[in-house]
Amino acid sequence: YTDIAKHTYNIKDKEKAKKLLQEAGYKGEKIILLTNKDYSNMYTAALVMSEQMKAAGMNAELKVLDWPATVQLQQTPANGWNFFFTGYGTNTSLGGLAAWRFHAHPNNAYKPKDNKPDETFMKHFNAIANGKTLDERKKAYAETEKYALEQVLAIPFGTLTKVQVVRSNVEGFKPFRIPRMSNVYLK
């Protein structure tokens, strides 16, 4: 866990957004938010974001497909989208690399226009794996998160909880990210 990039969370400053858009030279180009209705949390996040973008003066448009088509289109960004809505699993058991692997070259969801790796991101990402101590890897994770959020490679919209409950007559169940049903039985 790190809050190194908390300055990027929930700013809620429409006037600042308008100023930054003007400074960046934004001229009303269409911004496509790629989402689906199969996962309501993704659709809702896209809908809210599109309305907030419009309020700041951006030409935001939802592109709503089913989940398989959305994922397929996401893998080919030249087909016209700017933001892709998804979720990350609870990868704590897999470590910091799993949390940012969707942004690491060559399988990254974030694709620069020239499709070359983001060298700064990859430097931080590789330091997570190659740190010699736990403290080095924690620092590298924090730097990776800070860079990714400041560069808007990802925007966290919140967390969804996963609750796993079993009846008292169920034996052998062990909670995990994806429920494992082997060796589970009723007494």
Side-chain angles (χ1 to χ4, degrees):
Y1 170 79
T2 179
D3 64 2
I4 193 170
K6 69 181 177 182
H7 63 280
T8 66
Y9 301 166
N10 289 325
I11 299 169
K12 299 178 187 171
D13 188 340
K14 184 170 46 174
E15 295 310 312
K16 181 178 181 180
K18 288 178 179 180
K19 180 177 178 251
L20 291 171
L21 287 169
Q22 184 177 16
E23 288 174 11
Y26 178 69
K27 305 262 189 276
E29 299 88 349
K30 190 179 293 187
I31 300 169
I32 306 295
L33 288 74
L34 178 60
T35 191
N36 71 91
K37 285 190 175 179
D38 296 343
Y39 294 96
S40 61
N41 60 306
M42 294 176 199
Y43 176 75
T44 302
L47 183 61
V48 168
M49 184 172 167
S50 73
E51 293 305 309
Q52 290 178 339
M53 292 171 82
K54 289 174 187 174
M58 300 171 90
N59 183 8
E61 180 180 300
L62 291 178
K63 184 169 195 162
V64 183
L65 305 170
D66 65 14
W67 177 243
T70 303
V71 171
Q72 184 177 14
L73 185 59
Q74 173 270 326
Q75 295 171 354
T76 56
N79 285 340
W81 62 270
N82 302 100
F83 288 91
F84 169 64
F85 291 79
T86 189
Y88 295 158
T90 51
N91 292 315
T92 54
S93 63
L94 304 175
L97 281 175
W100 289 109
R101 73 173 184 255
F102 297 114
H103 299 280
H105 189 79
N107 299 317
N108 47 319
Y110 156 70
K111 307 263 192 228
K113 287 183 181 181
D114 58 6
N115 204 22
K116 292 183 180 173
D118 181 320
E119 291 180 20
T120 303
F121 176 82
M122 291 306 299
K123 177 187 81 165
H124 294 309
F125 180 77
N126 288 327
I128 297 171
N130 299 320
K132 301 216 182 305
T133 68
L134 179 59
D135 285 340
E136 287 177 11
R137 293 188 302 275
K138 284 181 178 180
K139 181 179 180 206
Y141 180 89
E143 291 300 321
T144 304
E145 182 168 307
K146 181 175 187 266
Y147 179 79
L149 295 178
E150 287 178 348
Q151 297 302 309
V152 197
L153 304 183
I155 301 172
F157 279 91
T159 58
L160 299 172
T161 58
K162 178 181 285 192
V163 178
Q164 297 179 6
V165 182
V166 295
R167 292 173 29 173
S168 61
N169 64 338
V170 173
E171 294 288 328
F173 180 81
K174 292 184 173 51
F176 187 65
R177 162 177 180 240
I178 299 168
R180 298 176 183 173
M181 303 314 286
S182 59
N183 298 319
V184 174
Y185 58 94
L186 298 175
K187 354 181 207 181

